[in-house]
Amino acid sequence: MSFTTTVLTLALTLPSGLLGPGPMGPHSGSPASVFGSPVSGFGLPVSGSPWPGSVWPVGPPPPPVLRGWEPPPGPYAPGHRGVDLAAVAGTPVLAPVAGTVAFAGPVGGRGVLTLTLPGTGSPPLRTTFSPVAPLVAVGDRVAPGTPVARVAPGTHCARDCLHWGLLRGERYLDPLVLMEREPSRLLPLPPLPPYAY
């Protein structure tokens, strides 16, 4: 078998994520789906590590995901517009990435915190947390890992949890993409000596 045939065989049998951008992880989000590509229309390129220094909002990292993102088929259809992370009341909520506090207060009797993420296009991405007791005020700029709230008791889950969302405008996205890094890529193999072919 020639060197070229070997490399082609490897390329056809390895998972697509090793060859370039594609689905990353056990959920349906990927950096391309959030940051943009000619197909997605979000308008931001995929380059480098999308969220350097990102941290999980609650720990120990990574926390158990009690319920994943289930995008609704329409704006008023049922679905799950975020993920539920296991977290008991009183647990500190950390800013997963750098952002600016856009909202901190009650909505329908439940505490909500929203961060706007700079440099993420127009309209910018926003990440939300509930039920929480905010520790920051509107306009505060926060770095990844900054305590921004505490998990509050609520009825969103059968047990205590933090509901974490991500939006662009009115479109809900999978917040777990904020934990992604640059996808692995298949690197060229070094030349082999003639006797190895």
Side-chain angles (χ1 to χ4, degrees), residues 3 7 185-191:
F3 176 75
V7 171
R185 298 181 186 277
L186 180 64
L187 299 176
L189 295 174

Side-chain angles (χ1 to χ4, degrees), residues 134-146:
L135 301 175
V136 290
V138 172
D140 287 352
R141 294 182 180 179
V142 296
T146 303

Side-chain angles (χ1 to χ4, degrees), residues 55-64 85-88 90-94 151 159 162:
V55 299
W56 285 93
V58 291
L85 304 178
V88 298
T91 300
V93 178
L94 309 179
V151 176
R159 54 186 276 199
L162 175 70

Side-chain angles (χ1 to χ4, degrees), residues 75-191:
Y76 306 107
H80 193 234
R81 295 164 170 83
V83 297
D84 294 337
L85 304 178
V88 298
T91 300
V93 178
L94 309 179
V97 294
T100 301
V101 180
F103 181 83
V107 174
R110 180 182 299 167
V112 175
L113 180 76
T114 302
L115 298 177
T116 298
L117 311 185
T120 55
S122 181
L125 293 172
R126 294 172 292 137
T127 189
T128 63
F129 306 96
S130 69
V132 295
L135 301 175
V136 290
V138 172
D140 287 352
R141 294 182 180 179
V142 296
T146 303
V148 292
R150 290 195 178 275
V151 176
T155 57
H156 179 77
C157 302
R159 54 186 276 199
D160 285 345
C161 75
L162 175 70
H163 180 77
W164 181 23
L166 181 68
L167 303 92
R168 184 184 296 285
E170 299 303 312
R171 182 172 181 180
Y172 286 86
L173 304 167
D174 185 351
L176 294 184
V177 298
L178 298 181
M179 297 296 100
E180 299 289 10
R181 300 295 191 272
E182 177 73 3
S184 300
R185 298 181 186 277
L186 180 64
L187 299 176
L189 295 174

